[in-house]
């Protein structure tokens, strides 16, 4: 349905337009003045000033893998994150945990776990979908590299970035 | 609502399903009748190919029989249909046949309540380890819990611990905690594989599947238990933890390990095959597949695969290789040539081979290499070539495949035969020795993997494996079935039919065949069995084309 | 022949060359780059941002220096870095363009703007040399004539790019320039009437004698005639300035390259130095335009009470100081006025939204054109009655 926008009836002063130009210029000049006098502070000077301290807890930086308090890698290579990842940044090769391993009863773990940070769009769906609370988007945002290969985070790098997480999943812990 | 018109002898009975009156042949299971009426009944223990023990209680419905007057006449309602007296508790639908006037409710509150209850019980001791379970994604417990179950557990007690990671046999691992004791595996081994090694031990909630203490589960059909296990209790060692099922691209094709041509599904992801599972075709393999067949796909991804055409061991491009092969063929008289075709070729390839034979004018100098083994009385045929019937039909061999190979051996030894073309067969298996091969002027070989012949090949053409091509084959019973491409051929390897087409074109000029459908059309013009058909018309289940039973090839004494 | 060997000839050639080099390489090009820089800085400040504040001069590359030199505001090296970047970037010519015109267009965009500067008197006299490259008596007409050539650059760029956005940009630019040229010419007529000459030097000289046209009190007093003429002059000033905005494709009239509709308009397909030439052309045109406004309305190089380079006029006691210093002061005054106008250009750009195309045309043809026309008669009338 067509919707007719009523046009305002302008006075001759408004029609001349010059007063509004002057008013507009006054506004912009006010901003300019405040900037020059240092009264406005909006922009951060990035490498010197960082907002890391004020970063919210839910900040979505680079996805990382975490271990639990016993040193067990939480990821069981269910590949749900690989499935959900919109740009297909994740590649996982699962393997069986050998019987002599301390965590053998978990049975499965990733042999290779790679996140291509050139592809990752920091959407956080991997974190959301993970049934084992193993993948978290941490606060690292300055992910740089000189080659493409460097931008692919492998398992070791992901655990290094992720560190240890406690709580949340207790099902694999020894029963009392 | 059966379309079974061929057997009018079976009387029909009237059944009311969710208020609608329908007709079914007598003897139909209630669960099947509901299925035919588009009312799916969840089930665990019921399997159409096995007996019905009725032990899982998942398939409960509300049932009733017509109200009877004291003189045993049904009471008719206002609509003229019998009124139904509903049984006050739910009944299982998998162990009952339909009866005249029977009423079924598949979605009533009582049924829904019953399903919820059954699922809650099934999950009481379930470990809920879907993230690591291979069945996740095709697990009936997951599916039905979502569809019919309730969202949470009210169970507060400790779960029962059962054996996990138990090697039942060389190919199968059991996780007893995940088992829902439907006994499908037990019944399969007993009723289909005739190898009664599985059973239930312990009592009550400690019930658990186990193998006979002196036996292991190593039957050649054991992996079918993994297929029919509705949960992840039985897993295939070969597929275990390799890939999640939701990533797998499913390609419907047929097995080529023997003349049965069992229907299968290839599960692949990004050009890697991860598993092969049977596909239902009651005219061929039912729903089963032998382990030996389903695990025989690793060679396709072998790193020794031939990927580049070579001439005398030097890699060349396809154009050069084909031109050189054609030159060799033209430089010899027809008497100096011999061609070994293969019972593993598709009909289309065999047909093009026959065209090549015509072009080279070598009517009698060709045969296929027979392969035989022991038939197991179930699915494995004695003929281990998948397409002997096709080869006979298209005329690549006599009714006794391999009978002409003697002449090849004689000819090569006497020096009369100077050049041999082999299409995917190892000449040393045809009776020739390595010394014989050295005597030849030239060998033109088409193959996928190196073998005893390939080092001697003058022109070696890398071809495609069966999972990499389309085409058709005829099984021992004369059924025409389709192969489909699941993965791409490695490197520069070409489709076999393209190689043959280019070779024919190089020998005798262009033939106007652009796509494989053209080849089928040309073949249908020459062979009446294929008349009116095309690759797409064959369908997923195939069609019988050769009716008279082809005699089984006799075990070749030669090798 | 006589002329060629006369000392006049050599004097004229050498001083013209010196003036040209001074004007183009020492004033206009640096001014262009720093106008761009100013544009970025001012726009940033207006929008509460910071703007380019990092690029200094890499003095640490020179042995003996340990630190890069970063002048007080920071970022003053940015224009140099930009220039280097433009020169080093890949000069990509798309395959579908008409090569000849594609190459020609950027030159045609840049050259007219520079050539018009020749007629501008940017100072009084310096060491006896008149501070104007070509003191022609039809200076204003010359400027109008040459600057209208620059539309060819844009049209050719749009057409030869052989793709839709540049083409649309080119077409818009043509019609816009043609429309506003008319009213720009008409708005200048009152000035000519008042000063009685089309030579830019004479216009400036008139203003030195009678006070700046826009501020007639600068010669020390106001006559009734001056007050009466003030009205048409102010009107002329406004219409002239608005037309100048439109002629130089500045916001709010930057329709030929309006990013939101046309990607980048006529120079969408250009890269590297060819793109930079369009950029330079636009800013040079802006400088030429500001210079013209200064000459026509703001008294050119003249400052009240300051003598000219020949030691004439101004306050008497100032004559004690050597006159070449006053020559320099005049030049500085001229460019300072231009710089202020440039800042106003920038200020307006970051204040106003862009016009719609039909509004632009309507404004040009239905209002400015008529106003300028009537204004001529008004001026003529006043002049006739206040003789
Ligand atoms: S954050 Fe999103 S894009 Fe990045 S790895 Fe996770 S799912 Fe993929
Ligand atoms: S979803 Fe979690 S547990 Fe599953 S593979 Fe990804 S990180 Fe590992
Ligand atoms: S192992 Fe599987 S098939 Fe066998 S009883 Fe348990 S759930 Fe049923
Ligand atoms: S399916 Fe009927 S009881 Fe299991």
């Amino acid at each position: 349905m067509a919707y007719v926008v009523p046009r305002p009836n302008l006075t001759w002063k408004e029609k001349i337009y010059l007063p509004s130009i002057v008013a507009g210029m006054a506004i912009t000049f006010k901003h300019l003045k405040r900037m020059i006098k240092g009264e406005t502070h909006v922009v951060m000077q990035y490498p010197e000033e960082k907002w890391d301290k004020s970063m919210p807890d839910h900040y979505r930086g680079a996805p990382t893998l975490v271990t639990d308090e016993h040193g067990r890698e939480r990821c069981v290579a269910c590949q749900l994150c690989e499935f959900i990842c919109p740009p297909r940044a994740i590649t996982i090769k699962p393997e069986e945990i050998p019987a002599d391993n301390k965590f053998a009863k978990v049975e499965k773990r990733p042999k290779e776990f790679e996140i291509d940070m050139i592809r990752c769009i920091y959407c956080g769906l991997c974190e959301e979908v993970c049934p084992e609370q193993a993948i978290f988007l941490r606060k690292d945002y300055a992910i740089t590299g000189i080659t493409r290969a460097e931008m692919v985070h492998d398992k070791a790098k992901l655990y290094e970035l992720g560190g240890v997480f406690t709580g949340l999943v207790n099902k694999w812990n020894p029963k009392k | 609502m059966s379309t079974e018109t061929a057997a009018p002898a079976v009387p029909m009975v009237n059944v009311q399903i969710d208020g609608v009156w329908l007709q079914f042949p007598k003897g139909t299971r209630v669960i099947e009748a509901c299925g035919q009426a588009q009312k799916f009944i969840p089930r665990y223990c019921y399997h159409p190919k096995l007996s019905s023990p009725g032990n899982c209680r998942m398939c409960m419905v509300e049932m009733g029989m017509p109200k009877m007057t004291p003189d045993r006449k049904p009471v008719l309602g206002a609509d003229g249909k019998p009124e139904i007296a509903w049984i006050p508790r739910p009944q299982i639908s998998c162990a009952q046949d339909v009866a005249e006037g029977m009423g079924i409710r598949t979605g009533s509150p009582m049924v829904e309540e019953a399903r919820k209850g059954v699922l809650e019980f099934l999950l009481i001791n379930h470990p809920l380890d879907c993230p690591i379970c291979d069945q996740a994604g095709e697990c009936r417990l997951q599916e039905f819990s979502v569809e019919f179950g309730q969202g949470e557990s009210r169970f507060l007690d400790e779960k029962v611990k059962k054996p996990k990671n138990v090697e039942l046999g060389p190919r199968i691992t059991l996780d007893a905690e995940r088992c829902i004791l439907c006994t499908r595996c037990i019944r399969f081994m007993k009723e289909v594989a005739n190898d009664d090694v599985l059973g239930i031990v312990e009592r009550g909630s400690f019930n658990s599947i186990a193998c006979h203490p002196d036996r292991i589960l190593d039957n050649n059909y054991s992996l079918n238990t993994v297929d029919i296990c509705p949960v992840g209790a039985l897993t295939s060692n070969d597929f275990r933890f390799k890939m999640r099922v939701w990533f797998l691209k499913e390609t419907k094709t047929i097995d080529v390990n023997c003349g049965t041509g069992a229907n299968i599904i290839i599960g692949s992801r990004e050009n890697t095959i991860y598993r092969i599972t049977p596909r239902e075709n009651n005219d061929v393999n039912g729903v089963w597949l032998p382990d030996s067949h389903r695990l025989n796909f690793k060679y396709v991804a072998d790193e020794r695969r031939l990927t580049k055409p070579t001439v005398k061991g030097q890699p060349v491009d396809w154009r050069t290789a084909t031109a050189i092969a054609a030159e060799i063929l033209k430089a010899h008289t027809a008497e100096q040539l011999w061609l070994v075709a293969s019972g593993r070729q598709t009909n289309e390839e065999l047909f093009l081979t026959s065209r090549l034979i015509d072009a080279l004018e070598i009517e009698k100098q060709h045969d296929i290499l027979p392969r035989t083994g022991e038939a197991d009385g179930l699915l494995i045929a004695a003929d281990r070539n998948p397409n002997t019937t096709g080869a006979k039909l298209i005329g690549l061999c006599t009714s006794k495949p391999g009978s002409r190979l003697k002449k090849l051996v004689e000819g090569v030894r006497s020096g009369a035969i100077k050049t041999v073309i082999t299409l995917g067969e190892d000449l040393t298996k045809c009776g020739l020795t390595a010394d014989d091969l050295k005597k030849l002027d030239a060998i033109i070989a088409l193959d996928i993997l190196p073998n005893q012949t390939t080092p001697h090949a003058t022109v070696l053409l890398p071809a495609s494996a069966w999972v990499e091509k389309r085409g058709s084959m005829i099984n021992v019973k004369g059924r025409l079935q389709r192969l489909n491409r699941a993965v791409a051929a490695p490197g520069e390897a070409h489709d076999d039919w393209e190689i043959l087409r280019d070779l024919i074109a190089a020998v005798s000029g262009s033939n106007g065949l652009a796509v494989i459908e053209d080849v089928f059309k040309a073949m249908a013009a020459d062979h009446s069995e294929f008349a009116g058909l095309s690759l797409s018309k064959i369908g997923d289940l195939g069609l019988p084309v050769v009716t008279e039973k082809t005699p089984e090839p006799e075990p070749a004494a030669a090798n | 022949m006589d002329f060629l060997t006369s000392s006049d000839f050599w004097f004229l050639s050498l001083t013209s060359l010196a003036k040209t080099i001074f004007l183009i390489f020492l004033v206009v090009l640096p001014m262009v780059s720093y106008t761009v820089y100013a544009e970025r800085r001012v726009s940033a400040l207006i929008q509460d941002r910071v703007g380019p504040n990092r690029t200094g001069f890499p003095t640490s590359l020179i042995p003996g220096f340990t630190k890069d030199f970063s002048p007080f505001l920071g970022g003053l090296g940015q224009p140099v870095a930009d220039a280097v970047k433009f020169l080093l970037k890949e000069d990509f010519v798309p395959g579908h363009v008409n090569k000849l015109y594609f190459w020609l267009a950027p030159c045609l965009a840049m050259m007219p703007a520079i050539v018009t500067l020749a007629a501008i008197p940017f100072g009084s006299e310096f060491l006896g040399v008149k501070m104007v490259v070509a003191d022609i008596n039809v200076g204003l007409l010359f400027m109008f004539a040459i600057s209208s050539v620059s539309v060819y650059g844009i049209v050719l760029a749009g057409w030869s790019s052989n793709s839709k956005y540049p083409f649309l940009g080119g077409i818009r630019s043509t019609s816009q320039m043609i429309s506003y040229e008319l009213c720009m010419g008409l708005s200048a007529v009152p000035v000519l009437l008042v000063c009685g000459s089309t030579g830019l030097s004479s216009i400036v000289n008139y203003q030195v004698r009678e006070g700046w046209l826009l501020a007639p009190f600068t010669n020390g007093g106001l006559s009734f005639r001056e007050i009466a003429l003030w009205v048409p002059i102010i009107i002329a000033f406004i219409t002239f300035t608005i037309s100048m905005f439109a002629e130089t494709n500045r916001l709010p009239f930057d329709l030929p390259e309006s990013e939101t509709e046309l990607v980048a308009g006529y120079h969408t397909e250009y890269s590297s130095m060819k793109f930079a030439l369009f950029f330079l052309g636009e800013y040079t045109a802006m400088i030429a335009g500001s210079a013209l406004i200064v000459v026509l309305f703001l008294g050119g190089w003249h400052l009240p009470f300051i003598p000219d380079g020949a030691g004439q006029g101004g306050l008497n006691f100032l004559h004690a100081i050597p006159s070449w210093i006053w020559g320099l002061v005049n030049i500085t005054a001229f460019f300072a006025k231009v710089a202020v106008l440039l800042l106003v250009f920038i200020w307006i750009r970051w204040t106003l939204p862009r016009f719609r195309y039909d509004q632009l045309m309507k404004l040009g043809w239905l209002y400015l054109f008529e106003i300028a026309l009537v204004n001529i008669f008004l001026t003529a009338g006043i002049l006739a009655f206040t003789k």
Side-chain angles (χ1 to χ4, degrees), chain B residues 10 70 84 97 125 134 186 199 374 396 407 443 514 547:
Chain B
V10 183
I84 292 173
D97 288 352
N125 285 318
D134 274 332
I186 301 175
E374 233 171 87
L396 266 293
K407 291 201 189 116
I443 297 173
T547 36

Side-chain angles (χ1 to χ4, degrees), chain A residues 7 17-18 20-21 24-26 28-29 31-32 35-36 40 42-43 45-48, chain C residues 42 44-50 53-54 238 242 344 347-348 350-353 355-356:
Chain A
R7 297 217 173 253
Y17 194 41
L18 290 177
S20 15
I21 291 183
M25 288 173 77
T28 43
F29 187 74
H31 279 266
L32 182 94
M35 268 310 273
I36 288 176
T40 334
V42 179
V43 180
Q45 295 297 314
Y46 167 60
E48 295 90 13
Chain C
V42 171
L45 294 176
I46 283 178
Q47 295 170 350
D48 294 351
R49 293 183 287 114
V50 175
N53 66 338
R54 300 244 162 203
I238 291 175
I242 292 176
V344 172
W347 184 6
I348 288 191
W350 296 100
T351 302
L352 297 184
F355 275 85
R356 223 168 50 210

Side-chain angles (χ1 to χ4, degrees), chain A residues 63 85-87 89-90 115 120-126 137:
Chain A
C85 178
I90 304 179
I115 302 185
C120 176
I121 55 172
Y122 301 87
C123 62
L125 286 182
C126 47
L137 271 67

